[in-house]
Amino acid sequence: MPGTDPLESTRIICGELGEPHLPHLVQLPDRGVGSDAVGRTAALLTELYVEVRPHGWRLTDRPGLDHRRAVSALGTDLGVMADVVGAAGTDPGALKLQLRGPLSLAAGISLHQGEKILSDAGARRDLADSLAEGAARHLQDVRRVTGASALTVVVEEPGAAAVLGGAVPTASGYRSLRAVDRQEAGRHWKVLVEALHQAGAETVILAPGTGFSGGGPSWPELITEALAVGFDTICLHGRADIAAWERCAELLDQGGRLWLETLDPGQELPGVSAAVETVHRHFRRMGLPDALLGALTLMPAPGLEATTPETTRRVLRRLTRTADALDQVRLGG
């Protein structure tokens, strides 16, 4: 979300994404250190601490100012969500959380000597275990503070393609780190997904970003592997290639669900009819029946944080109206 005011953003979220839609815990990267995606997730780690150096986030021996800022921002946002829900006097129902996955986190944090955690197999394992334990505790805190009855967790892995394809540069930038074995990646994902489900997550979704080509897995391979290790569904960008859509069509046809990134906050928003037609066109091209439109959850494409609160409100409102219109198509209206 844009800006630095968690109360304003949380009110927008709860106002625009209330039942039957899905509100989320706010994330405000404009606040700076500790509120970025990596720092935010690092605040969840158990027995691992981080600090910011000129080259980015790095492990440190004890929690310093940067780590405490990240933890404090997360605590503030959770408290604000509880206050807004409490002021509304209604059951908070469902709530979405998001965090960086173990692959992208290992590519975003360095060891003491400056190289990425990604470069050390033991460090990758320790990070994945710490993340799983910390994320489970976070879910328990969220349930306790907000009273949310159903939690959905989006595991963001924008670095997955580079990590699995051996395309993450070393600290010097002169070469790339060795690709992580896909079986190892699957183990780290499985540990996290199992911990989240055991902590009460109803749905765990993988959002891998784009760029699956070259030495990394293809989109169909990634989807197959992600579901095999326990993710409930995949987040797909509306501009994904035909192979990704074909694999997702198979999943929908088999009773699965799909989260679809649509409505680019950085572009002029299409009207509701045009947005519906864009989604519906993919379904017709894949030969899917309108009844399966009910298996979709719509998300805005990345970039809300670079807009304004008013633009965010318009995007979310257009998104919910598009979802409502797709429901009418599904019902034959």
Side-chain angles (χ1 to χ4, degrees):
M1 296 286 281
T4 60
D5 185 351
L7 181 58
E8 178 186 29
S9 289
T10 300
R11 284 173 172 166
I12 291 173
I13 291 166
C14 292
E16 300 298 335
L17 297 177
E19 184 69 29
H21 306 291
L22 183 59
H24 60 274
L25 185 64
V26 68
Q27 185 170 314
L28 299 169
D30 281 352
R31 285 186 300 197
V33 172
S35 292
D36 59 291
V38 172
R40 174 78 152 202
T41 304
L44 305 178
L45 298 175
T46 59
E47 299 183 10
L48 291 177
Y49 312 106
V50 293
E51 64 181 357
V52 174
R53 306 299 292 173
H55 58 273
W57 287 100
R58 183 186 77 169
L59 291 180
T60 185
D61 293 330
R62 58 185 62 85
L65 177 61
D66 298 330
H67 191 92
R68 291 196 297 271
R69 283 182 63 179
V71 172
S72 176
L74 180 60
T76 295
D77 296 341
L78 185 53
V80 168
M81 173 61 79
D83 290 344
V84 171
V85 168
T90 58
D91 184 343
L95 184 65
K96 179 179 80 73
L97 313 172
Q98 61 196 57
L99 52 86
R100 273 291 195 262
L103 304 188
S104 300
L105 202 62
I109 302 177
S110 298
L111 298 165
H112 294 277
Q113 72 271 25
E115 197 53 84
K116 301 291 187 185
I117 289 176
L118 194 62
S119 65
D120 185 291
R124 294 195 300 265
R125 182 181 60 252
D126 290 345
L127 180 71
D129 291 345
S130 175
L131 175 60
E133 182 179 349
R137 289 185 184 179
H138 178 52
L139 261 64
Q140 293 166 356
D141 289 342
V142 171
R143 293 176 69 92
R144 174 178 53 81
V145 172
T146 67
S149 57
L151 296 180
T152 293
V153 183
V154 175
V155 178
E156 301 172 329
E157 285 283 23
V163 170
L164 296 173
V168 177
T170 60
S172 67
Y174 291 119
R175 60 184 182 87
S176 296
L177 294 171
R178 186 188 301 273
V180 170
D181 179 79
R182 282 155 65 175
Q183 289 187 336
E184 179 192 331
R187 288 195 298 272
H188 295 329
W189 281 341
K190 189 175 185 65
V191 167
L192 176 60
V193 172
E194 288 180 348
L196 291 171
H197 278 308
Q198 289 172 7
E202 186 173 90
T203 306
V204 183
I205 297 150
L206 179 67
T210 57
F212 286 87
S213 60
S218 67
W219 249 102
E221 289 172 327
L222 173 83
I223 294 170
T224 300
E225 292 176 14
L227 294 174
V229 301
F231 285 100
D232 297 294
T233 189
I234 302 291
C235 179
L236 179 69
H237 195 286
R239 294 194 296 270
D241 62 26
I242 187 68
W245 270 103
E246 286 177 345
R247 183 65 183 103
C248 288
E250 292 176 17
L251 295 175
L252 291 171
D253 217 19
Q254 295 165 9
R257 296 190 59 84
L258 175 65
W259 283 44
L260 183 65
E261 290 180 351
T262 184
L263 298 185
D264 189 337
Q267 304 294 325
E268 182 176 352
L269 294 178
V272 171
S273 295
V276 167
E277 171 58 23
T278 297
V279 176
H280 199 205
R281 185 169 61 249
H282 288 299
F283 265 60
R284 291 197 303 267
R285 186 177 64 183
M286 295 296 107
L288 293 169
D290 289 349
L292 289 181
L293 288 168
L296 284 181
T297 296
L298 301 185
M299 300 175 68
L304 279 179
E305 70 276 7
T307 65
T308 65
E310 186 51 44
T311 296
T312 295
R313 186 179 278 108
R314 288 200 302 271
V315 170
L316 297 182
R317 191 166 297 163
R318 186 65 50 85
L319 193 71
T320 58
R321 289 176 178 173
T322 300
D324 292 342
L326 280 169
D327 263 343
Q328 292 303 309
V329 173
R330 177 179 62 86
L331 296 171

